[in-house]
Amino acid sequence: MDSPARRRLALLALALGGFGIGVTEFVTMGLLPNIAADLLPAQYAADPAAANAQAGWLVSAYALGVVVGAPTIAAAAARWPRKRLLVGLVSVFVAGNLLSAVLPSFELVLVARFLSALPHGAYFGIASLVAASLMGPGKRARGVAFVLGGLAIANVVGVPIGTHLGQSFGWRSTYLLVTVIFVVTLIAIAIAVPLKPGDPTATLRNELSAFTRAQVWLTLLLGSIGFAGIFAVYTFVAPVVTDVTGLDEGFVPWVLVVFGVGMTIGTFVSGWLTDRSVKLSLALGLVGVGLSVLAFALTAQTVPGLLISIFFIGIFAGACSPAVQTRLMDVSHNAQSIAAALNHSALNVGNSLGAALGGVVIAAGFGYLSPAAVGVALAALGLVVLTISFTLDRRTSLMPDSRVVGS
């Protein structure tokens, strides 16, 4: 980089992409009843809960797109110049969100959400590698957290604004706003991010070799399980606010702000903690997920309980991602591009699984708080997986200590 100022501008450009992704991924939760009423009118009139549960498929479709796109794009494009790849990925975001805003039916919007998610994991993976190189040795997790911080801040600012916009002017206006955010991101990356070569030694075979390592699979599994517990609850936060806590739909954006503040705090604290101990950060994150969703189930009938519990759910949602991503980069060895992207596959498997399981228990008639029981069980299962992973570490001495080493 030419100067510290230009380095900061490049990091901000990368974080802006994370901000746009955060809005497009999370705003659907706040607008779920609006989308259901518009795209599934007959079902919504007959059974709003069932229509909301079906609209949750949009969340699952986006998550599935991340899962498919992250390893595929990252492995195939590991040799590409990183700036050119980032520009291409953001261009797909522009097209996918524009289609989400204009397509007329539920089925077509479902496809558009899948397509718009394909570059998600690869963007975060490549942007995190670029940010880590800009930050320098010993600050790798903080570079990852900076990019992910854009996603977290989206939950403080972008998602509540997008939710209010969608409630006031129709949910399609929100996806048009997201399209504009990605256009600005495209310009910012083209101007500010320096030319970064891809890895000239990378091959598709080397990148895919990550899938031969047991620790990679265990890390992906614990990331998926942890986030499934969060999204089983968070996907249906809008109907909880209106039907359980008994508040007006206009209060939903404020609940999302509280979640976003927690997520932002969790992301940056996790970046600091993960640079010191990856294992401690992972363990605290999973314990926190279980306790926070349990608190949500017990207290969300009241306004203070709702706000406090959603704040802590946000903290541990933010805390999981930098720790899982750094762990993946450690255990994947020479498959760095695909490892950095696989984090988002894992988290969005969790996103999809959590939304689906939450929808199942709601559709079965157990109420909007019932997904919290799913969340507690999944967090407990995640701790079991984490224990297995740590035990394997001790047996194989794969990682000499729990500290992050410079990239």
Side-chain angles (χ1 to χ4, degrees), residues 233 236-237 239-247 251 255 292-310 313 368-370 372:
V233 172
F236 302 99
V237 68
V240 168
V241 170
T242 55
D243 292 18
V244 176
T245 315
L247 299 170
F251 199 77
V255 175
S292 61
V293 298
L294 176 61
F296 183 85
L298 296 175
T299 66
Q301 297 92 339
T302 68
V303 175
L306 171 70
L307 294 177
I308 293 170
S309 60
I310 205 70
I313 290 174
Y368 285 120
L369 291 180
S370 60

Side-chain angles (χ1 to χ4, degrees), residues 103-136:
L103 289 174
S105 69
F106 178 79
E107 292 76 15
L108 290 175
V109 173
L110 194 70
V111 173
R113 297 310 296 153
F114 173 82
L115 293 175
S116 63
L118 290 173
H120 176 127
Y123 176 86
F124 273 123
I126 300 303
S128 293
L129 290 173
V130 172
S133 70
L134 293 173
M135 292 292 289

Side-chain angles (χ1 to χ4, degrees), residues 39-55:
L39 295 180
L40 302 166
Q43 186 175 5
Y44 190 83
D47 188 348
N52 284 332
Q54 184 173 340

Side-chain angles (χ1 to χ4, degrees), residues 22-41:
V23 178
T24 194
E25 180 176 19
F26 293 113
V27 77
T28 305
M29 288 77 161
L31 293 174
L32 211 61
N34 307 82
I35 296 172
D38 183 38
L39 295 180
L40 302 166

Side-chain angles (χ1 to χ4, degrees), residues 25-26 151 221-235 259 263 286 289 316-322 324 343 346-355 378-379:
E25 180 176 19
F26 293 113
L151 184 151
L221 182 59
L222 69 90
S224 300
I225 290 170
F227 258 63
I230 292 166
F231 278 94
V233 172
Y234 187 58
T235 298
F259 176 87
M263 190 175 185
L286 285 172
V289 169
F316 294 109
C320 285
S321 192
V324 172
N343 176 44
L347 301 185
N348 280 273
V349 166
N351 187 334
S352 181
L353 179 63
L378 288 169

Side-chain angles (χ1 to χ4, degrees), residues 59-223:
V59 177
S60 297
Y62 185 93
L64 182 61
V66 178
V67 173
V68 172
T72 305
I73 297 172
R79 290 190 175 206
W80 289 19
R82 288 173 176 170
K83 179 174 180 175
R84 183 189 305 171
L85 179 56
L86 288 170
V87 168
L89 293 171
V90 175
S91 298
V92 177
F93 279 125
V94 171
N97 283 278
L98 182 60
L99 288 173
S100 298
V102 301
L103 289 174
S105 69
F106 178 79
E107 292 76 15
L108 290 175
V109 173
L110 194 70
V111 173
R113 297 310 296 153
F114 173 82
L115 293 175
S116 63
L118 290 173
H120 176 127
Y123 176 86
F124 273 123
I126 300 303
S128 293
L129 290 173
V130 172
S133 70
L134 293 173
M135 292 292 289
K139 299 180 180 179
R140 183 174 54 162
R142 274 168 280 185
V144 172
F146 197 94
V147 175
L148 294 172
L151 184 151
I153 293 170
N155 284 276
V156 181
V157 181
V159 173
I161 290 175
T163 301
H164 178 72
L165 182 70
Q167 291 173 345
S168 301
F169 301 101
W171 63 270
R172 295 180 186 276
S173 63
T174 300
Y175 289 112
L176 289 175
L177 172 65
V178 174
T179 302
V180 172
I181 292 171
F182 280 120
V183 170
V184 175
T185 300
L186 185 65
I187 296 170
I189 288 175
I191 293 172
V193 173
L195 293 173
K196 289 279 183 180
D199 182 356
T201 65
T203 66
L204 184 60
R205 181 176 180 179
N206 283 343
E207 293 294 321
L208 294 178
S209 70
F211 292 109
T212 66
R213 299 187 176 96
Q215 286 285 24
V216 169
W217 284 106
L218 288 170
T219 306
L220 291 173
L221 182 59
L222 69 90

